[in-house]
């Protein structure tokens, strides 16, 4: 007889607050600076989807409140006050957040792909398998306080945040 884990038995909408919070794998990719490159930059408008001619670009520059060795937020409870653009994922807005990386556990579950084999919930809470798989920000980022993105933007564009593997 095999037991079914809560993330296999429940939809995201059915999860308790504690279950919802535990789905975050702590990769910290959502804390990276990302930008939309648009063919129509003169007419660019804020959006909740990528439109034709637009591309999401990730950088290796991360929020100043990120712990670059663990992927955690050093000011989690006040993050949205300190960084107004910090998006708190909820059951209500998850479907609209197109800029989450493919490996995001919320995105994976929302799209019916299940939790990845490297997810900490599958390893007694340890992030080591995730780090070993190259999914997290560990050893790949620089804090936003250490760069001038106005000048160095193109030097920091990276593709590794798009990595998703199982």
């Amino acid at each position: 007889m095999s037991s079914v884990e809560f993330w296999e038995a429940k939809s995201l909408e059915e999860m308790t607050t504690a279950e919802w919070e535990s789905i975050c794998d702590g990769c910290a990719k959502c804390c990276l600076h990302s930008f939309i490159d648009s063919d129509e930059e003169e007419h660019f408008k804020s959006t909740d989807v990528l439109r034709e001619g637009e591309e999401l670009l990730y950088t290796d520059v991360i929020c100043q409140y990120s712990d670059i060795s663990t992927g955690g937020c050093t000011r989690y409870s006040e993050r949205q006050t300190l960084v107004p653009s910090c998006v708190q994922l909820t059951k209500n807005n998850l479907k609209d957040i197109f800029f989450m990386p493919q490996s995001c556990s919320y995105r994976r579950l929302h799209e019916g792909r299940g939790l990845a084999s490297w997810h900490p919930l599958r390893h007694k809470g340890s992030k080591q398998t995730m780090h070993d798989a190259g999914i997290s920000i560990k050893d790949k980022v620089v804090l936003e306080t250490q760069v001038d993105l106005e000048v160095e933007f193109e030097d920091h564009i990276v593709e590794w945040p798009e990595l998703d593997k199982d």
Side-chain angles (χ1 to χ4, degrees):
M1 180 177 191
S2 67
S3 65
V4 175
E5 300 290 355
F6 74 88
W7 62 84
E8 297 169 326
K10 295 181 178 182
S11 69
L12 287 167
E13 293 77 18
E14 296 170 326
M15 290 182 188
T16 66
T17 301
E19 290 168 339
W20 174 269
E21 289 291 323
S22 72
I23 292 301
C24 178
D25 51 53
C27 73
K29 288 180 185 177
C30 60
C31 300
L32 294 171
H33 285 262
S34 60
F35 301 89
I36 295 175
D37 186 23
S38 176
D39 293 341
E40 303 287 328
E41 294 198 27
E42 296 169 8
H43 301 92
F44 181 78
K45 294 180 182 167
S46 184
T47 182
D48 59 358
V49 295
L50 283 176
R51 295 174 289 233
E52 187 176 331
E54 295 179 337
E55 177 184 14
L56 182 63
L57 300 176
Y58 290 96
T59 71
D60 62 359
V61 180
I62 198 160
C63 174
Q64 65 181 316
Y65 301 112
S66 297
D67 180 327
I68 61 174
S69 62
T70 67
C73 181
T74 62
R75 307 287 292 272
Y76 188 78
S77 64
E78 53 194 329
R79 70 192 186 283
Q80 292 180 288
T81 302
L82 295 168
V83 183
S85 62
C86 179
V87 176
Q88 179 178 359
L89 290 179
T90 67
K91 296 172 185 179
N92 294 328
N93 69 4
L94 180 63
K95 65 180 174 39
D96 299 324
I97 301 181
F98 68 94
F99 58 86
M100 295 304 291
Q102 292 291 320
S103 63
C104 173
S105 298
Y106 295 103
R107 183 171 181 169
R108 289 180 60 96
L109 289 175
H110 180 71
E111 293 174 352
R113 295 185 288 134
L115 283 189
S117 60
W118 47 260
H119 194 285
L121 282 175
R122 297 188 180 276
H123 299 277
K124 300 178 182 173
S126 172
K127 291 184 178 184
Q128 192 59 51
T129 304
M130 177 178 62
H131 295 318
D132 292 346
I135 298 296
S136 73
I137 56 100
K138 186 173 174 55
D139 301 325
K140 298 178 188 170
V141 297
V142 61
L143 289 172
E144 66 187 358
T145 54
Q146 298 173 331
V147 297
D148 181 355
L149 279 178
E150 296 293 323
V151 176
E152 304 172 44
F153 170 75
E154 289 189 9
D155 296 337
H156 290 279
I157 295 173
V158 293
E159 293 182 6
W160 60 261
E162 298 172 17
L163 174 68
D164 186 17
K165 59 181 165 181
D166 208 10

